Amino acid sequence: LLRGVLGARAAELAERVGVAAGARIVVATALVRDGRVLAAQRTRPAALAGRWELPGGSVETGESEDAAVARELREELGADVVACGRLGTDLPIDAGLLRVHLARLRPGSAEPAALEHAAVRWVDAAGLATLDWVDADRAVLPDLCAVLGT
Ligand code: DCP
């Protein structure tokens, strides 16, 4: 809406002011392959340890969200991925705003590995409900289910 009224440049500035004011953007990644999504089990903080998430992390200053997705998954999973669009709406979290992006493995990428997580697991639509997801990620499960099919 803001973009429509003020134009793309003004909306971009407003977004930067928001980020500067403390509305940190965290990207979460729905890495999809063959009807399954990669779920990752957190090790920290204690309150979230053992619970499952879509991997990701904070967007750095001046970094695009697509670039943050690729960087975070390289760091956390050793995988080479390309972001390919948003999934669901912005989700409020303690740290700021969580935005879920879809992504795919680039051809030739290493298999994702739990470099910073307790475990990683490919889950299909039926398997989504069996994991203990962190609260914010739980909100995107219906959209994710639709992407994965049944
Ligand atoms: N988060 C979430 N769901 C996800 C990913 C993250 O709710 N799928 C939340 C958990 C944290 C915050 O976002 O409160 C930041 O996530 P991480 O700690 O994984 O990200 P960073 O390591 O980049 O954070 P930091 O800025 O603390 O280094």
Side-chain angles (χ1 to χ4, degrees):
L1 178 66
L2 195 60
R3 197 168 285 272
V5 174
L6 299 177
R9 179 69 186 142
E12 190 183 313
L13 285 173
E15 184 166 303
R16 284 193 190 173
V17 169
V19 170
R24 183 153 71 107
I25 305 292
V26 178
V27 288
T29 311
L31 178 61
V32 173
R33 179 176 69 186
D34 299 335
R36 293 172 186 254
V37 65
L38 192 86
Q41 191 176 32
R42 289 191 67 103
T43 59
R44 65 175 176 89
L48 297 181
R51 298 181 68 185
W52 294 81
E53 70 169 2
L54 298 172
S58 303
V59 179
E60 293 177 354
T61 308
E63 186 181 44
S64 71
E65 292 182 26
D66 285 5
V69 164
R71 176 182 53 73
E72 289 285 352
L73 271 65
R74 196 178 320 114
E75 290 172 3
E76 296 184 359
L77 306 169
D80 190 11
V81 313
V82 58
C84 50
R86 292 278 307 277
L87 185 70
T89 57
D90 290 356
L91 301 165
I93 56 174
D94 288 349
L97 274 184
L98 185 72
R99 291 195 175 141
V100 182
H101 286 257
L102 288 163
R104 299 193 186 284
L105 282 176
R106 285 189 192 274
S109 168
E111 190 64 16
L115 304 180
E116 297 184 0
H117 288 88
V120 295
R121 191 185 291 178
W122 291 99
V123 290
D124 62 13
L128 290 177
T130 68
L131 297 182
D132 180 19
W133 292 92
V134 300
D135 292 339
D137 297 45
R138 194 170 287 281
V140 81
L141 295 185
D143 294 307
L144 196 47
C145 215
V147 166
L148 298 180
T150 46

